[in-house]
Amino acid sequence: MADEQTEAPDNTAVRTALWRAMHVQVDPPPHVLEDEIGLQLAAPGDDWRRRPDMDPRTTSAFRAAMVARSRFIEDLIAEQADQSVTQYVILGAGLDTFAQRRPEVASLLRVFEVDQPGPQAWKRHRLVELGYGIPDWLHLVPVDFEASEDWLKQLAAAGFDSSRPAVIVSTGVSMYLTKDATAATLRQIAGLAPGSTLAMTFLLPTELLDDADRPGLRASKEGAQASGTPFISFYTPPEMLELAREAGFKDARHLSGASLAHRYFADRTEGLRPSSGEDILLATT
């Protein structure tokens, strides 16, 4: 649209994309996830690897955590596609590149990327500029959350069928929302068609982190505060499970960051391991 206002993605979205690229560029194979398309989209400049938050050694655990959660989500999507689920919704899509990297799976689905209008218009422009385009099965759904737009209504307008099962994913978002806002989102998702699945990440309180990871969480909190996007909410696993059950989910499970570390990093010999502190709620309707 000619009157679309573009706005570059926030620092968190860019940092996540760059960490995924760093995993490919500095960690030895086999790679848990191969994603340098986010780097292409962000186009951070030739000196991006000299940024303090890209230090290969001091940020390795965060880098590993990002690729672990991304790999888990993509494994989940592939599994659900095999079970004939045909809708995939990414809340707070940022610089997600699943549609570009895994078209053999994504093209079997209707993929809905939900994000703020400005950054999403920017991403649409970059995808076209880089030659990826917007295939007919990929729907970029702008939702002005700050104006309290109803994301489900916008999804429906984009072609989402609420009578059919879907996979809904929200990673790296819940810490920026109030607990009331997250509870409201859970209730909306719990009301979707039976057989729908939600995967949502959440941050643990500091006291539940491994001792070695607490300074990193403090640094992340300070960085988020300085960027104007402070961390607001932390959850214990029982608290998050209770929220999901109160919202109406038929089944709710907690997956620890340690379980992802075991799944994707157990056989690595160079010592690369994800940091603790971010876990996953996996819930079904």
Side-chain angles (χ1 to χ4, degrees):
M1 295 175 62
D3 60 348
E4 247 180 351
Q5 296 298 306
T6 65
E7 177 186 339
D10 65 26
N11 291 333
T12 301
V14 172
R15 184 182 302 114
T16 300
L18 299 187
W19 273 340
R20 292 199 300 259
M22 282 287 287
H23 177 56
V24 176
Q25 295 189 9
V26 307
D27 296 326
H31 296 120
V32 176
L33 187 86
E34 296 189 1
D35 180 11
E36 293 183 281
I37 295 177
L39 170 62
Q40 294 176 34
L41 288 170
D46 293 340
D47 63 346
W48 68 275
R49 283 179 52 169
R50 292 195 288 273
R51 290 171 38 159
D53 58 355
M54 292 297 123
D55 183 275
R57 184 181 60 82
T58 61
T59 65
S60 65
F62 298 110
R63 180 171 71 245
M66 292 301 102
V67 297
R69 82 178 187 193
S70 295
R71 172 64 182 274
F72 172 79
I73 295 299
E74 295 195 6
D75 288 350
L76 173 67
I77 298 307
E79 173 189 290
Q80 292 289 307
D82 283 345
Q83 296 175 12
S84 301
V85 172
T86 59
Q87 300 184 109
Y88 173 29
V89 179
I90 310 170
L91 297 179
L95 294 177
D96 189 277
T97 60
F98 171 75
Q100 291 74 48
R101 290 180 298 102
R102 300 289 306 277
E104 76 284 358
V105 178
S107 62
L108 303 175
L109 306 163
R110 304 186 75 186
V111 180
F112 299 87
E113 295 193 10
V114 179
D115 213 335
Q116 291 277 73
Q120 196 172 72
W122 178 95
K123 185 177 183 181
R124 179 187 296 274
H125 174 77
R126 289 292 292 148
L127 287 172
V128 172
E129 191 173 54
L130 290 170
Y132 291 104
I134 314 293
D136 57 8
W137 42 263
L138 175 60
H139 306 272
L140 302 185
V141 186
V143 177
D144 190 344
F145 293 102
E146 294 175 1
S148 300
E149 282 190 347
D150 187 331
W151 63 272
L152 272 178
K153 185 179 294 185
Q154 299 297 97
L155 262 187
F160 179 78
D161 184 351
S162 60
S163 69
R164 303 188 66 177
V167 179
I168 315 291
V169 167
S170 174
T171 59
V173 174
S174 66
M175 71 281 275
Y176 301 112
L177 306 177
T178 65
K179 294 189 176 184
D180 286 345
T182 293
T185 299
L186 289 173
R187 287 193 295 271
Q188 288 179 298
I189 298 170
L192 295 177
S196 295
T197 299
L198 165 69
M200 173 184 284
T201 63
F202 61 96
L203 288 187
L204 301 174
T206 304
E207 62 270 17
L208 296 185
L209 270 64
D210 296 342
D211 289 346
D213 295 329
R214 292 178 185 179
L217 176 62
R218 284 195 294 271
S220 295
K221 287 172 66 176
E222 290 167 2
Q225 182 78 37
S227 298
T229 53
F231 294 168
I232 297 172
S233 300
F234 299 82
Y235 301 86
T236 66
E239 182 181 10
M240 181 55 81
L241 290 172
E242 182 64 21
L243 275 180
R245 293 178 182 125
E246 288 178 351
F249 282 97
K250 183 176 69 175
D251 179 63
R253 290 186 288 144
H254 160 241
L255 296 178
S256 68
S259 70
L260 298 188
H262 180 74
R263 181 180 302 194
Y264 298 120
F265 292 84
D267 297 328
R268 300 189 72 91
T269 58
E270 84 289 1
L272 182 66
R273 299 281 286 182
S275 60
S276 61
E278 184 177 64
D279 287 1
I280 296 176
L281 167 70
L282 191 64
T284 54
T285 58

